[in-house]
């Protein structure tokens, strides 16, 4: 049984996608192809979560500059939650899995779900040009909705310029309110990075387009669409979209942005409009709610089976990662593939992933950003959550040709700027 939203307005068809940054070449792989380059997917047989290992990862992140870090594993009704460090440096309050936080680009999965529901409702076509729905918006009529949702539109990511200098860039937009049209204008100052469909290149511009499509085709705001189609049906009590308000309601973790200058103090970046991202990155949530969301998604509770399959047509990102339609796949060292999204917004790093059947989910958060060392460390929470203790993981990996995960050098904002 699905919990899809009510049918949306009008019949129109459209498609768009956009993105630059670190590009890779392109045609979507088969659904459930396993490793990005087409090796067969290992059947799921998950070892017990390594909770001690999870805690060790969080503690390591603290030694590398994160004020606090949390992780929650939901495993077939059993919950494991781990927390280390502080939510608020000023008061010293301990961070906790009950804290809300800014999820950054995990928002993209919310936007993609709404659009795929519109496909189910016959309102949107994945292979229809975006300009069909939003006439004249994009510079190339060949850019489809599928291109946008899979980061193959070629649209330039305006955040590369906006946040080339991290703290000054953030302070310049912290309280600013942008229209979608203004964000698109920033992107379109630059030419397309590739022909539509030719290459994967992550770009926030694509999901600005997604937000515009949602509002045009539903006749409501992105906020209302998220609420009626995802938040309320799933009972996500900690999840909200408050743009352009700047505060996080209720108990929450403060976010701390790392300056570019070595040794400079962290900047409290908690309060901001996140108007520079909107449907690409402005959702607020909790570890519990994100686990609920991705579990429901992979169990087929938010879209039809056909659209969930479309969401899992993978474009290669690197040797251990693929990107579908607003959904990431990561192939772990033990041969298990997991599905979800990463998120970066000033002061917060999020990893939120679930197993193929939605039976085990983990969301991990560190309340800092612009720190590539912490970014890579937090990725290891997936290994602890899905591969189990190292000895068990080693046994499971026997005969696997999967390589160690590549070092993450890019964030989900300003993806053209390497974080060494």
């Amino acid at each position: 049984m699905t919990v899809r939203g009510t049918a949306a307005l009008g019949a129109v068809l459209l498609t768009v996608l956009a993105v630059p940054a670190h590009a890779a070449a392109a045609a979507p792989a088969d659904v459930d192809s396993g490793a990005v380059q087409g090796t067969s997917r290992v059947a799921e047989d998950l070892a017990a979560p390594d909770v001690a290992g999870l805690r060790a990862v969080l503690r390591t992140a603290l030694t590398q500059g994160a004020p606090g870090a949390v992780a929650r594993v939901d495993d077939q009704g059993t919950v494991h939650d781990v927390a280390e460090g502080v939510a608020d440096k000023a008061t010293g309050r301990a961070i906790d899995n009950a804290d809300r936080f800014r999820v950054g680009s995990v928002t993209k999965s919310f936007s993609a779900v709404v659009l795929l529901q519109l496909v189910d409702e016959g309102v949107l076509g994945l292979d229809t040009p975006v300009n069909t729905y939003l006439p004249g918006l994009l510079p190339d009529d060949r850019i489809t909705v599928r291109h946008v949702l899979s980061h193959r539109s070629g649209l330039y990511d305006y955040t590369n310029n906006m946040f080339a200098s991290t703290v000054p860039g953030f302070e310049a937009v912290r309280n600013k309110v942008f229209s979608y049209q203004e964000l698109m204008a920033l992107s379109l100052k630059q030419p397309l990075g590739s022909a539509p469909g030719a290459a994967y290149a992550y770009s926030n511009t694509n999901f600005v387009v997604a937000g515009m499509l949602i509002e045009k085709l539903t006749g409501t705001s992105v906020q209302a669409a998220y609420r009626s189609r995802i938040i309320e049906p799933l009972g996500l009590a900690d999840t909200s979209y408050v743009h352009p308000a700047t505060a996080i309601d209720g108990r929450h973790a403060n976010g701390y942005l790392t300056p570019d200058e070595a040794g400079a103090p962290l900047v409290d970046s908690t309060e901001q409009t996140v108007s520079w991202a909107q449907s690409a990155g402005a959702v607020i949530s909790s570890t519990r709610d994100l686990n609920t969301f991705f579990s429901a998604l992979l169990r087929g509770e938010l879209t039809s089976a056909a659209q969930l399959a479309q969401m899992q047509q993978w474009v290669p990102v690197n040797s251990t990662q693929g990107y579908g339609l607003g959904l990431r796949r990561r192939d772990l060292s033990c041969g298990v593939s997991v599905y979800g999204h990463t998120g970066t917004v000033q002061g917060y790093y999020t990893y939120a992933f679930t197993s193929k059947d939605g039976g085990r989910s983990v969301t991990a958060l560190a309340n800092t950003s612009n720190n590539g060392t912490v970014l890579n460390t937090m990725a290891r929470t997936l290994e602890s959550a899905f591969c189990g203790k190292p000895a068990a993981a080693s046994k499971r990996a026997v005969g696997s040709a999967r390589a160690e995960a590549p070092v993450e050098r890019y964030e989900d904002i300003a993806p053209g700027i390497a974080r060494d």
Side-chain angles (χ1 to χ4, degrees), residues 365-390:
L365 164 79
N367 60 343
T368 195
S369 67
N370 195 38
N371 184 326
T373 307
V374 171
L375 177 66
N376 279 281
T377 291
M378 293 300 291
R380 289 164 38 204
T381 59
L382 304 182
E383 296 282 335
S384 295
F386 295 101
C387 294
K389 293 182 179 180

Side-chain angles (χ1 to χ4, degrees), residues 17 44 123 137 150 169 220 258 275 278 316 322 350 383 389 402:
L17 256 252
E44 279 191 314
V123 175
L137 176 67
S150 60
T220 64
T258 307
S275 192
Q278 299 186 50
T350 302
E383 296 282 335
K389 293 182 179 180
R402 297 179 194 268

Side-chain angles (χ1 to χ4, degrees), residues 275-330:
S275 192
W276 60 266
Q278 299 186 50
S279 49
V283 163
I284 293 163
S285 194
S286 66
T287 58
R288 178 188 62 189
D289 277 10
L290 292 186
N291 284 355
T292 299
F293 168 68
F294 280 113
S295 177
L297 175 59
L298 268 293
R299 284 173 167 160
E301 297 173 8
L302 289 171
T303 70
S304 67
Q307 298 319 316
L308 182 57
Q310 292 294 320
M311 206 172 192
Q312 296 177 75
Q313 291 192 352
W314 308 110
V315 176
V317 173
N318 56 39
S319 62
T320 62
Q321 296 181 43
Y323 201 94
L325 303 183
L327 189 69
R328 290 189 181 276
R329 191 190 72 234
R330 296 179 73 105

Side-chain angles (χ1 to χ4, degrees), residues 91-139:
T91 66
R93 181 178 71 78
I95 198 168
D96 189 271
N97 274 280
D99 289 329
R100 296 170 179 163
F101 52 88
R102 300 191 183 280
V103 308
S105 287
V106 178
T107 302
K108 292 178 173 66
S109 296
F110 283 69
S111 295
V113 164
V114 173
L115 289 180
L116 289 168
Q117 290 177 353
L118 293 174
V119 175
D120 278 330
E121 293 160 16
V123 175
L124 180 71
L126 285 175
D127 296 309
T128 302
V130 169
N131 284 351
T132 302
Y133 305 107
L134 301 170
L137 176 67
L138 300 183

Side-chain angles (χ1 to χ4, degrees), residues 3 11-13 39 59 64 83 89 160 176 208 220 235 243 265 272 317 327 339 373 409:
V3 258
V12 198
L13 293 147
T39 59
R59 287 176 173 171
Q64 297 166 340
K89 284 170 60 65
N160 288 326
K176 190 164 183 177
V208 169
T220 64
H243 172 268
Q272 58 165 305
V317 173
L327 189 69
Y339 308 83
T373 307
R409 299 184 66 242

Side-chain angles (χ1 to χ4, degrees), residues 20-312:
H22 38 303
D30 291 340
V31 176
D32 291 338
S33 59
V36 175
Q37 298 301 336
T39 59
S40 60
R41 195 174 79 82
V42 177
E44 279 191 314
D45 177 22
L46 302 179
D50 180 8
V51 179
L54 203 57
R55 186 176 297 280
V57 171
L58 303 189
R59 287 176 173 171
T60 298
L62 265 58
T63 69
Q64 297 166 340
V70 297
R72 172 176 167 132
V73 179
D74 283 274
D75 184 17
Q76 304 288 3
T78 299
V79 177
H80 306 277
D81 60 25
V82 184
E84 295 288 335
V86 300
D88 187 331
K89 284 170 60 65
T91 66
R93 181 178 71 78
I95 198 168
D96 189 271
N97 274 280
D99 289 329
R100 296 170 179 163
F101 52 88
R102 300 191 183 280
V103 308
S105 287
V106 178
T107 302
K108 292 178 173 66
S109 296
F110 283 69
S111 295
V113 164
V114 173
L115 289 180
L116 289 168
Q117 290 177 353
L118 293 174
V119 175
D120 278 330
E121 293 160 16
V123 175
L124 180 71
L126 285 175
D127 296 309
T128 302
V130 169
N131 284 351
T132 302
Y133 305 107
L134 301 170
L137 176 67
L138 300 183
D140 192 320
D141 288 339
R142 296 175 297 171
I143 298 174
T144 67
V145 173
R146 186 187 301 277
H147 293 149
V148 170
L149 293 180
S150 60
H151 292 298
R152 293 183 298 130
S153 64
L155 292 169
Y156 180 74
D157 193 330
Y158 58 87
T159 67
N160 288 326
N161 298 104
M162 191 176 281
F163 303 122
S165 182
T166 301
V167 173
F170 167 65
E171 294 295 359
V173 300
R174 179 196 281 260
N175 295 305
K176 190 164 183 177
V177 178
F178 292 95
S179 67
Y180 279 135
Q181 289 78 8
E182 287 172 328
L183 295 176
M184 290 303 302
L186 293 174
S187 172
L188 295 176
K189 288 179 180 179
Q190 302 294 327
L192 294 181
S194 63
Y200 168 86
Y202 190 93
S203 172
N204 285 283
T205 307
N206 288 311
F207 281 80
V208 169
V209 174
M212 296 178 78
L213 287 170
I214 288 169
E215 295 197 343
K216 176 66 177 290
L217 298 177
T218 65
T220 64
S221 65
V222 164
Q223 178 187 56
Y226 290 163
R227 186 174 61 246
S228 65
R229 292 171 171 271
I230 300 172
I231 295 171
E232 290 179 351
L234 294 181
L236 304 182
D238 297 327
T239 303
S240 61
Y241 181 86
V242 300
H243 172 268
T246 60
I248 302 176
D249 291 337
R251 177 174 176 148
H252 62 272
N254 284 17
Y256 296 94
L257 179 59
T258 307
D260 295 328
E261 301 76 26
L266 298 178
V267 174
D268 189 325
S269 52
T270 310
E271 293 201 355
Q272 58 165 305
T273 62
V274 200
S275 192
W276 60 266
Q278 299 186 50
S279 49
V283 163
I284 293 163
S285 194
S286 66
T287 58
R288 178 188 62 189
D289 277 10
L290 292 186
N291 284 355
T292 299
F293 168 68
F294 280 113
S295 177
L297 175 59
L298 268 293
R299 284 173 167 160
E301 297 173 8
L302 289 171
T303 70
S304 67
Q307 298 319 316
L308 182 57
Q310 292 294 320
M311 206 172 192
Q312 296 177 75

